[in-house]
């Protein structure tokens, strides 16, 4: 009996100990599940556990599956150092998330349904084509006759090998491409391209969102409260393909949907939407054509025997009306959706220029300085007021040869940007000669609310580098902004078309931040030029 009792008690103790151990394992497993991100593949990958920042977001735990180049042949989670990039992040239950190529983890997780478990698949790619991680997929689109090039410190041009690094925005090296003259064969990789073989140069502006920096978000109706500190305050930029939405759930990273007209391809003049200072917003220049970015003419449009050439040391094509410029830009390379530059696209270049990826640098003492771009010659493309393209980068948006030239001073650059009539429905063309039948595709121009005077800056489109440059002041009868004192005058009933950049004879009023009234919409003065943009799909 004692032996049986001992055996019975022993079994009870074993059961009790087993139960306790089971509970401990269960608790440990639950704790582990809530502490670690679970990596696993769609098919046969082993589970890999690792601590990933911000994966536990207060209302759900995340399980990650992943693929590499569309296959499941590896059991090691991809490393950024190994050349992997993320093509897409797809989550269940309408959850949205992005991949941060800097921290190498998910970010901007939007779990509006408050799901307790979130499952996402991260699709990695290790393509042989070079891509820069910080662009988050907004790498250059090379289509048709666009040839990637590298320009060295002496201005010499070589064909880029797209399997090797040929741009690096992190180091202010923007991507460049050229279109060769008809009949010129495409050279081998790394071969020098003769200047006489090049027809046009273009620079890639990757799709990005920016952090709204103006406390009044451009709603200025009179002079006053000028903010001179903006001149040396870089605009915060994040590259990527995902459009911002209205989301204030994370107080440390709020965003807003870009205000757009019902046609979804034009920004809203005077529109705020849910946007406010310190919110992130996708720049509208990239929404019109739904592209990964835009190719912007490296120089103003030149004229060689009545043919467009966009290259240095070339006579700019002057004495063009707005109508002439619009038609020539549209017809230049229709397969690449070429067009005359518009205000929002000028703004996209301006904001990228006024960032850490352009002219703004921070020294070892944490002092930030944004270099002022030198004025350009108003007759010769790529020529600064003193030196030529091959001798100077002072008029570049990056202070090196990879940037865009001639956006400060030089010839006045008319924009495909105009104003509504007083009913704010039909377009007021002024004396330009343009008509509705030429502007049927709304992607090719910006349109602004009606105004009777030049000082109603609240009619800006967010991102166009007009109203957000305020507050404003007047001097000598001109409207000016606090950023280097550049001209700041808005379209009105007398002058319904915009120009940008000013002219070299404007003095301090000229600059990349300058915007003013095109008084020559139907005339052919020797101070007016334009720039071409490509938007390949």
């Amino acid at each position: 009996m004692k032996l049986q009792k001992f055996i019975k008690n022993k079994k009870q103790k074993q059961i009790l100990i087993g139960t306790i151990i089971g509970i401990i394992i269960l608790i440990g497993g639950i704790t582990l599940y809530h502490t670690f991100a679970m990596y696993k593949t769609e098919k046969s990958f082993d589970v890999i556990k690792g601590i990933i920042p911000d994966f536990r977001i207060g209302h759900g735990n995340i399980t990650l599956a992943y693929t590499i180049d569309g296959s499941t042949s590896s059991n090691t989670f991809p490393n950024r150092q190994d050349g992997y990039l993320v093509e897409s992040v797809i989550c269940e239950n309408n959850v949205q998330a992005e991949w941060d190529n800097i921290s190498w983890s998910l970010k901007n997780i939007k779990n509006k349904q408050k799901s307790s478990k979130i499952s996402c698949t991260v699709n990695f790619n290790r393509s042989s084509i070079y891509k820069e991680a910080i662009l988050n997929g907004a790498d250059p689109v090379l289509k048709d006759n666009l040839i990637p090039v590298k320009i060295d410190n002496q201005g010499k041009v070589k064909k880029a090998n797209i399997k090797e690094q040929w741009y690096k925005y992190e180091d202010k090296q923007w991507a460049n491409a050229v279109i060769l003259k008809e009949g010129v064969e495409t050279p081998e990789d790394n071969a020098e391209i003769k200047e006489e073989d090049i027809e046009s140069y273009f620079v890639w502006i990757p799709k990005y969102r920016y952090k709204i920096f103006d406390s009044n978000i451009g709603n200025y109706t009179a002079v006053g409260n000028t903010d001179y500190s903006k001149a040396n305050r870089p605009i915060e930029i994040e590259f990527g393909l995902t459009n911002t939405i209205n989301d204030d759930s994370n107080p440390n990273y709020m965003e807003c949907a870009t205000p757009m007209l019902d046609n979804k391809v034009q920004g809203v003049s005077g529109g705020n939407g849910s946007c406010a200072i310190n919110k992130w917003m996708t720049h509208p220049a990239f929404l019109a054509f739904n592209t990964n970015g835009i190719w912007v003419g490296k120089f103003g449009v030149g004229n060689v025997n009545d043919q467009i050439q966009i290259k240095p040391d070339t006579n700019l094509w002057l004495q063009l009306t707005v109508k002439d410029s619009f038609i020539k830009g549209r017809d230049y390379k229709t397969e690449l959706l070429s067009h005359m530059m518009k205000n929002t696209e000028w703004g996209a270049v301006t904001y990228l220029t006024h960032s850490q990826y352009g002219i703004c640098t921070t020294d070892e003492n944490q002092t930030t300085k944004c270099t002022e771009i030198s004025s350009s010659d108003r007759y010769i493309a790529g020529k600064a007021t003193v030196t030529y393209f091959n001798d100077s980068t002072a008029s570049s948006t990056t202070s090196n040869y990879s940037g865009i030239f001639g956006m400060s001073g030089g010839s006045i650059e008319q924009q495909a940007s105009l104003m509504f009539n007083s009913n704010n429905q039909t377009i007021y063309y002024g004396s330009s000669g343009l008509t509705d039948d030429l502007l049927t595709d709304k992607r090719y121009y910006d349109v602004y609310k009606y105004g009777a005077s030049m000082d109603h800056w609240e009619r800006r489109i967010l991102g166009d580098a007009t109203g957000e440059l305020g507050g404003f002041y007047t001097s000598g009868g001109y409207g000016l902004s606090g950023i280097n004192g550049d001209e700041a005058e808005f379209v009105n009933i007398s002058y319904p078309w915009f120009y940008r950049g000013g002219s070299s004879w404007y003095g301090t009023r000229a600059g990349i931040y300058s915007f003013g009234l095109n008084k020559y919409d139907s005339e052919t003065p020797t101070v007016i030029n334009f720039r071409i943009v490509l938007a390949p799909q």
Side-chain angles (χ1 to χ4, degrees), residues 199-202 297-318 320 328 332 379-382 411 413 528-532:
E199 177 183 287
S200 297
Y201 288 77
F202 289 90
K298 193 174 184 71
F299 311 97
V301 172
N303 177 10
V304 179
N305 299 321
D306 287 333
Q307 298 294 319
I308 289 176
Q309 289 194 13
I310 303 170
K311 54 191 302 183
D313 305 340
T314 302
N315 290 325
L316 293 170
W317 202 329
L318 305 174
L320 293 173
K328 289 182 183 299
Y332 175 59
Y379 300 112
I380 307 295
S411 288
E413 294 197 23
I528 294 288
N529 188 234
F530 75 106
R531 196 172 296 258
I532 285 178

Side-chain angles (χ1 to χ4, degrees), residues 116 177 432 479:
S116 60
S432 67

Side-chain angles (χ1 to χ4, degrees), residues 321-499:
T321 65
V322 171
K323 181 179 179 179
D324 291 336
S325 300
F326 187 86
I327 293 174
K328 289 182 183 299
R330 183 198 62 187
D331 294 345
Y332 175 59
K333 299 290 179 185
T334 56
E335 70 279 8
L336 294 171
L337 297 181
S338 64
H339 56 278
M340 177 185 179
M341 195 177 205
K342 54 185 181 176
N343 248 7
T344 47
E345 292 166 341
W346 184 284
V349 177
T350 300
Y351 286 3
L352 183 59
T353 300
H354 200 82
S355 77
Q356 69 180 82
Y357 306 108
I359 59 174
C360 298
T361 56
T362 302
D363 62 22
E364 63 275 8
N365 298 318
Q366 298 304 303
T367 300
T368 300
K369 173 70 175 177
C370 298
T371 306
E372 188 171 355
I373 299 174
S374 295
S375 185
S376 302
D377 187 276
R378 65 177 181 268
Y379 300 112
I380 307 295
K383 183 178 184 297
T385 50
V386 178
T387 55
Y388 282 90
F389 170 71
N390 288 340
D391 301 315
S392 174
T393 58
S395 62
S396 165
T397 56
T398 57
S399 299
N400 61 50
Y401 284 111
S402 75
I404 298 172
F405 284 71
M407 295 186 74
S408 174
S411 288
I412 294 170
E413 294 197 23
Q414 50 195 359
Q415 304 291 300
S417 303
L418 70 168
M419 189 182 71
F420 279 120
N421 278 301
S422 57
N423 59 14
N424 279 320
Q425 294 181 6
T426 57
I427 295 175
Y428 178 58
Y429 294 105
S431 56
S432 67
L434 281 165
T435 54
D436 288 346
D437 62 315
L438 288 173
L439 271 68
T440 55
D441 193 332
K442 293 179 172 56
R443 296 177 298 175
Y444 291 104
Y445 63 94
D446 294 320
V447 62
Y448 290 81
K449 287 183 177 180
Y450 173 85
S453 63
M454 69 177 188
D455 57 356
H456 282 273
W457 298 281
E458 80 280 4
R459 291 181 286 142
R460 89 289 176 269
I461 295 172
L462 287 176
D464 69 357
T466 62
E468 290 173 280
L469 305 182
F472 302 97
Y473 65 101
T474 58
S475 178
Y478 297 102
L480 305 170
S481 77
I483 301 187
N484 302 330
D486 285 3
E487 187 171 23
E489 298 179 347
F490 224 84
V491 290
N492 56 59
I493 190 62
S494 299
Y495 307 111
W497 293 84
F498 272 104
Y499 68 68

